[in-house]
Structures are given as structure tokens and as C-alpha cells.
Amino acid sequence: MELNGRPVGTGEIAGLALYGYGHFTTMLVTDLRVRGLDLHMERLARDCRTLFGTELDVLRVRELARRSARAHPSPSVVRVTVFDPGMDLARPASRRPPQILVTTRPAPAPDGPPAPLRLGTRLFARDTPRVKGTGMFGAIRQRRSAQLDGFDDALFTGVDGRVSEGPTWNIAFLDGGGVVWPQAPCLPGVTARLVDRAADSLRIPVSTRPVAGAASTRVSGAFVTNAATGVRPVTSIDGVHLPQSALIRRLADAYRAIPGDAL
């Protein structure tokens, strides 16, 4: 864990732990290459303008992420967090420039494709869903609740009954041979956008439309996406079994074939 390229002290991350005001992106780094690197940097720059009203030095971010990745075995999961270590809870509108925290952990072991997920729906919507914010209390609480009920993870639905996303992933459904993303407030995931590119390469149609939670089990398959695991199939929602489509495997293979960009 490094702050601006040096070891970080516990006092410097106290504000992040106590207030949770910041944003981040998580990248899978393999041999110093990242799929969708441009999308990760766009996200960091956009969210920095939203939360701090300033431009982020993206070249510096890449330098610090590359430094951290070099110091760890490949592949690794590198998280870049942007926050203000000196934030005053009483005066959060201070114009101090935010700082760059980089943390690294081993990537999930590639022992074959990831196991399918059993999801349980939960009524929940994030605060400012289009920003990948560090405050994850609500999302993790819903994941914990779903796991205590015997599911692997939570699938969020809104008060209008529409499916949106999960705690750390986007979800897509298969309908008549095409991919359907739910039309609902949710984080625009980098991996989801890369899956769109993979689908285009396979000439698989992609659409976005409302998906009712009650109808989410009447589909020909579903999968979730995030940077650490890529494309992961869903085996059931609220205990109702979903078909395991070969199309999901094709999308997963096409996603993995997307070349990484030099960090």
C-alpha cells in the first residue's frame, strides 16, 4: 500500500476509513498490461471531477500503478483510490488536491472458469451510483445479508422492481441469443463495456432495457462482470435455476482474448 509512491502511514488513511469520501478503480494487471486501461483512466478522471472538482494527473496515476504492479507477482489486482487525507469533516469543500493511494493483491487463481453464482434479490440502490465511490457500507451489508440467507451474493432491485446491479459487479441477461443490460441506475462497469466489444466481435446483439426482478428468472441465462473475475455465469436467482448457456462461455473467451494495454 503506497500513497503517492511511498509507504503510507495509518494516520494518512484515517479519513478514508472514517468518512469513506473518495473514489477508485480496480484493474487486473498481467505482465504490466490492463484490459480497458483507457476506460479505467477515464473513470478516475471523471469521478475526480465529480467528487473533488479538479483534474486528475492520469499519467501520474499510471506511473504509480505500474510501480506497484512491478513489485508484485503477475497477475495482480491493482486498486487506485483517490481521496483527500486531510479532509475536514466539518469543511469538506476545501480545495486541497486529492492524493493517490495504490493497493495491490494477488489475482484470483486461474483454476478454470469461475464457479456460477447463486443470487438473492435485495431492495437497494447506491448513493450516486455512477461514481465508483469508496463508501461501500450499504452494498456490503446487502451481500452479507444474502450470504446469511444461503446465496453467494446479492442482486439489487429498485423500488420500481427493476434489476440494477450487484455489490461489485454488473449483470447481463440473455434473451433470444442477445445480451440485455438492465436499464436502471447503476455503475457503468469497465468490464461490462469490454464485454460489449467482445459481443460485437462475435456479432451478438446487445441492448439495454428495463428488467423486472420478477422476470429476471424467465431468461435464457445471465452472467456478471467485473475486472477481477471477468465474465461469471449465474446459476440461479432467488432459488430459481437459470439455463447455463454456451453463449456465456463464448463471451467469456472473447473477453479474455481482448489484448491488454501497456500500463
Side-chain angles (χ1 to χ4, degrees):
M1 181 181 294
E2 292 184 334
L3 182 65
N4 303 320
R6 58 171 176 76
V8 63
T10 54
E12 293 175 299
I13 57 174
L16 183 63
L18 293 172
Y19 313 140
Y21 191 86
H23 64 92
F24 70 101
T25 199
T26 301
M27 304 176 286
L28 179 64
V29 182
T30 305
D31 298 328
L32 296 182
R33 304 188 76 86
V34 178
R35 290 188 195 91
L37 179 64
D38 59 331
L39 300 177
H40 285 287
M41 295 302 109
E42 286 173 14
R43 163 189 280 166
L44 287 173
R46 181 182 64 247
D47 289 355
C48 190
R49 287 191 293 269
T50 300
L51 294 192
F52 296 103
T54 188
E55 294 297 322
L56 182 67
D57 186 345
V58 171
L59 291 180
R60 177 63 169 159
V61 169
R62 290 178 61 175
E63 175 190 345
L64 295 174
R66 185 166 58 246
R67 166 193 167 97
S68 183
R70 276 202 184 106
H72 293 82
S74 177
S76 60
V77 177
V78 175
R79 169 171 160 158
V80 176
T81 303
V82 180
F83 75 111
D84 176 8
M87 173 172 280
D88 182 344
L89 183 60
R91 298 187 62 82
S94 169
R95 302 294 290 185
R96 285 184 299 269
Q99 308 298 305
I100 302 166
L101 178 71
V102 180
T103 55
T104 306
R105 60 181 171 86
D111 298 328
L117 285 170
R118 297 168 298 123
L119 304 179
T121 55
R122 292 293 185 275
L123 177 63
F124 180 74
R126 317 173 183 270
D127 181 17
T128 321
R130 296 192 66 82
V131 171
K132 194 171 178 69
T134 56
M136 297 185 67
F137 165 77
I140 298 305
R141 178 172 176 266
Q142 298 304 323
R143 171 174 283 171
R144 182 176 187 273
S145 170
Q147 290 177 352
L148 288 173
D149 283 347
F151 301 106
D152 297 315
D153 213 338
L155 173 61
F156 300 155
T157 61
V159 293
D160 57 3
R162 295 181 183 180
V163 168
S164 56
E165 59 182 336
T168 54
W169 39 259
N170 292 106
I171 188 167
F173 299 92
L174 302 182
D175 183 10
V179 174
V180 178
W181 297 102
Q183 185 178 40
C186 65
L187 181 72
V190 167
T191 305
R193 293 175 67 181
L194 294 176
V195 166
D196 283 349
R197 296 180 186 177
D200 183 64
S201 73
L202 297 172
R203 298 187 177 180
I204 296 170
V206 177
S207 62
T208 301
R209 65 172 185 264
V211 177
S216 63
T217 57
R218 298 194 295 272
V219 295
S220 55
F223 60 90
V224 305
T225 64
N226 72 7
T229 58
V231 174
R232 187 172 185 180
V234 174
T235 190
S236 67
I237 296 176
D238 289 337
V240 179
H241 177 75
L242 298 185
Q244 297 302 288
S245 171
L247 182 56
I248 296 176
R249 292 190 292 274
R250 290 178 61 204
L251 284 168
D253 291 342
Y255 166 76
R256 285 192 295 269
I258 294 174
D261 303 309
L263 184 58

